[in-house]
Amino acid sequence: MLKLSDITVRLGGRVILDGATAALPPGSRVGLIGRNGAGKSTLVRVIASQLEPDAGKAEMPKGSRLGYIAQEAPHGDMTPFETVLAADVERAALMIESETCEDPDRLGEVYERLMAIDAYTAPARAASILVGLGFDEEMQQRTLDSFSGGWKMRVALAALLFSEPDVLLLDEPSNHLDLEAVMWLEDFLKGYKATIVVVSHERDFLNNVVDHILHLQGGKVTLYPGGYDAFERQRAERLAQIEAARANQAVQREKLQSYIAKNSARASTAKQAQSRQKMLAKMQPIAESFNDPTLSFGFPNPTELRPPLITLDMASVGYSEVPILKRLNMRLDPDDRVALLGRNGNGKTTLARLLAAQLTPMDGDMASSGKMKVGYFTQYQVEELDTEDTPLEHMTHMMKGATPAAVRAQLGRFGFSGEKATTKVGRLSGGERARLALALITRDAPHLLILDEPTNHLDVDAREALVQALNDYTGAVVLVSHDRHMLELTADRLVLVDDGTAREYDGSLDDYIALVLGSSAKNTGGKGPKKDKKAAAAARDRETAMKKTIRDIEADTARFTTELNAVDTAMADPKKAEPRFSRLSMTELMKRRSEVEAKLAASEAKWLEASEALEGVAA
């Protein structure tokens, strides 16, 4: 059992944790949630013994091993594979000893222990974890210093998972992951046998992984059984009870105050009035339910443009004359909601930059509306905000020539009103900085929003507000996100970026999840997975081609049906005939009807044949 006993932490004169107390059941998977700035990371650092609390303590059973990712990413000449294997310190030491030990008795003990800890399957397990987190065979053998910071943090996560601690602490593990790696991590954690405490703001992740929610608010924690949806139901019931108690208390307080006011001056009732005065003094006010009026997203709607906004025709794009994506055929209309799928490194950001006109095609054609304005959000914009400037100064600089009222109105759409507008960026939370970056890129009401991982650092409530704002927005949206809940609620088109190109994905998001998890289960980093990947890609291409054929047949069927109805109308009432049929004789109309009827029957037969073939491929 992990026990939190009356933990209090003060930072910078402010109380972050105020007597936080909870007992987490052994082997439980706990989601630690709370608003941005509530103190979640502070509590995790206390549990990890990286921060000494002002009062209270976190206790674990004696001998328990705790695992937590340090802030500094691993680096050096070791490979990801070597780094992960080295994370099991006991195995590494025993393997060295097995090669150097000359004492037969001790050597027997070493081999016995190696068998007990399943040491000889460790390389396969390490490779499997790395593959799940996006490292193919070649990447596993590169040096750590050849990777970016985000990929290094993936190595740190892989090493932590491989070490199998008794208490696993994860602080927003999905921030450095793509959707595919998040789905693999979900699947891995479902089967993890020890205690897990994970800080996450992703509703689906919490629903699929955890069995308890530890809610942090006002410096205190409350433990709820179940996933996030169960927490919301229980919390709503609790808030309703609190509001009812507050209303009841207000009525009681009013009655007491009224009695005291009427009876204090009368000698016959003075004692009763004094008694009620004491009751009123002892009455503890019930706190009002938490509400954050600054939590806001409101994208300004653009002017109307005729479709299409962007058309790609066999376009190629890349860097330094090296194409990353080829054969791009894509159309974006003003009301499109497109989610880009595919592992990090496959080219999602490259495609996003092409659509944002930050890159130009190396080959093929790209046509876009001359009046189109694009708002492009990336994490780099959040990191590059001047910490010494305020949101008001940032927006005033970007909206040159605009009136102060217009500047403040744009800030107000994103919750920056009053003191928040004049608070230095350095004092804003990560979520508030993300909101400011979104406010800045939408200042001129863009026709197309391209959002690359917009939910990083946003808490659950902020993500829900962002989903609502995107659904209210009338422009087009291209979204890259590992937040499945957001994709499900906002995207109506899925585009898979894979194998050096981008194509429409005709399945649902659930289909894609099943595909990714099935591929991850087969992929062990050897030659086999590459064949599986090619076979899966070929199957997808066949399925996509068949679905296109069916759509074409359906379009022909609809056209023949419309023509047949028009011929029947002309035969029944020549005055209502369409111009193309008005001059035809009855004999000619009957002949035309026979021809169209035959085409319609043939089209329906083709549809049945193609549908059966598609079912066979899917099976």
Side-chain angles (χ1 to χ4, degrees), residues 209-220:
V209 171
V210 309
D211 51 33
H212 286 78
I213 292 289
L214 188 64
H215 183 223
L216 176 56
Q217 180 180 309
K220 301 186 182 300

Side-chain angles (χ1 to χ4, degrees), residues 23-39:
L24 311 185
S28 58
R29 298 193 294 269
V30 180
L32 175 56
I33 69 169
R35 296 299 307 277
N36 286 339

Side-chain angles (χ1 to χ4, degrees), residues 488-511:
E488 288 172 340
L489 293 182
T490 58
D492 51 27
R493 283 176 60 193
L494 302 178
V495 172
L496 178 60
V497 183
D498 190 23
D499 290 333
T501 190
R503 64 177 71 85
E504 295 281 339
Y505 184 77
D506 288 327
S508 67
L509 199 56
D510 286 338
D511 294 332

Side-chain angles (χ1 to χ4, degrees), residues 187-451:
D187 200 51
F188 181 91
L189 294 178
K190 287 177 188 177
Y192 197 79
K193 301 302 181 184
T195 299
I196 301 172
V197 178
V198 56
V199 178
S200 178
H201 297 302
E202 297 189 27
R203 181 187 294 261
D204 283 357
F205 184 89
L206 293 169
N207 279 329
N208 293 334
V209 171
V210 309
D211 51 33
H212 286 78
I213 292 289
L214 188 64
H215 183 223
L216 176 56
Q217 180 180 309
K220 301 186 182 300
V221 292
T222 306
L223 188 64
Y224 295 85
Y228 187 83
D229 288 347
F231 154 75
E232 276 207 329
R233 288 193 298 270
Q234 294 172 75
R235 189 181 177 219
E237 293 170 0
R238 187 178 179 193
L239 289 177
Q241 292 169 355
I242 290 173
E243 288 304 309
R246 286 186 72 252
N248 182 59
Q249 187 185 70
V251 172
Q252 295 299 321
R253 185 181 292 276
E254 185 178 352
K255 288 181 179 179
L256 290 173
Q257 289 172 336
S258 176
Y259 185 92
I260 293 166
K262 291 179 180 178
N263 295 284
S264 293
R266 299 179 185 175
S268 60
T269 57
K271 286 185 178 182
Q272 290 90 331
Q274 289 175 1
S275 175
R276 283 165 173 74
Q277 182 69 54
K278 291 179 182 178
M279 289 173 61
L280 185 61
K282 290 179 179 180
M283 188 178 288
Q284 294 294 321
I286 299 174
E288 187 175 0
S289 58
F290 181 77
N291 184 36
D292 184 358
T294 68
L295 181 61
S296 176
F297 289 93
F299 298 114
N301 288 321
T303 56
E304 289 189 15
L305 288 180
R306 294 180 61 184
L309 293 179
I310 298 176
T311 303
L312 299 177
D313 183 12
M314 295 300 289
S316 298
V317 63
Y319 308 90
S320 302
E321 300 183 0
V322 178
I324 303 297
L325 299 173
K326 300 178 181 178
R327 307 182 308 280
L328 296 174
N329 295 297
M330 187 175 182
R331 169 176 167 145
L332 277 180
D333 288 334
D335 58 349
D336 269 336
R337 296 289 193 276
V338 179
L340 302 185
L341 306 178
R343 285 196 176 276
N344 281 358
N346 282 5
K348 296 193 299 292
T349 297
T350 301
L351 178 56
R353 293 189 63 192
L354 175 65
L355 297 175
Q358 291 188 1
L359 296 173
T360 56
M362 295 176 172
D363 196 10
D365 294 316
M366 174 177 173
S368 60
S369 173
K371 297 180 180 180
M372 180 182 65
K373 291 180 285 189
V374 179
Y376 182 29
F377 173 90
T378 71
Q379 286 300 311
Y380 297 112
Q381 293 162 325
V382 179
E383 295 165 3
E384 291 171 0
L385 291 170
D386 190 333
T387 57
E388 293 301 313
D389 278 354
T390 66
L392 183 58
E393 289 169 333
H394 274 284
M395 192 62 72
T396 300
H397 175 73
M398 298 296 287
M399 295 179 65
K400 291 179 180 177
T403 64
V407 171
R408 284 193 174 271
Q410 174 64 6
L411 286 171
R413 289 189 180 98
F414 292 82
F416 293 99
S417 56
E419 292 183 0
K420 279 294 181 184
T422 55
T423 300
K424 287 189 175 183
V425 168
R427 297 180 59 189
L428 298 178
S429 69
E432 289 170 332
R433 295 186 194 194
R435 278 197 283 125
L436 176 56
L438 287 166
L440 291 170
I441 67 153
T442 59
R443 64 190 181 279
D444 56 355
H447 302 88
L448 170 62
L449 276 180
I450 303 175
L451 307 180

